Amino acid sequence: MPRYFFNLRYGHLHVLDSRGETCSDPGDALEHAVVAVLDLITKEGRFRNWARWSIEIEDENRRRVATLPFTLVLKSHRQPGK
């Protein structure tokens, strides 16, 4: 299976994923990124301002496959009534 890398970006700060994860395809990598974002938000605090954070998904050749803003994940996983 191909390896994908999940780099964090906050404005100009860029934290590279040196290990990566194996995923079956780009869709699977995107699902992995959503879970990683939700896990980070859970661990680091729901009330932090995540507006400038994103996760950049790169393939094994370090070509960007997708960029996932944290705000998009938060909007799609918002609980009803909140």
Side-chain angles (χ1 to χ4, degrees):
M1 270 199 283
R3 182 167 294 278
Y4 290 86
F5 298 89
F6 302 88
N7 307 314
L8 291 175
R9 181 176 288 279
Y10 174 73
H12 294 290
L13 175 67
H14 201 185
V15 181
L16 293 177
D17 174 6
S18 61
R19 201 178 78 208
E21 298 289 335
T22 55
C23 300
S24 58
D25 56 37
D28 187 34
L30 187 58
E31 287 180 30
H32 179 83
V34 169
V35 170
V37 167
L38 292 171
D39 186 51
L40 182 62
I41 290 169
T42 299
K43 288 179 182 175
E44 295 297 323
R46 181 101 175 125
F47 301 104
R48 176 177 273 191
N49 183 358
W50 298 105
R52 295 182 59 203
W53 286 84
S54 62
I55 190 163
E56 296 175 345
I57 305 167
E58 294 179 339
D59 67 12
E60 54 197 9
N61 296 313
R62 290 294 191 168
R63 288 185 298 237
R64 189 171 303 153
V65 174
T67 300
L68 181 65
F70 280 33
T71 52
L72 183 62
V73 175
L74 286 170
K75 285 178 186 175
S76 66
H77 287 81
R78 192 175 288 161
Q79 294 179 2
K82 292 201 175 194

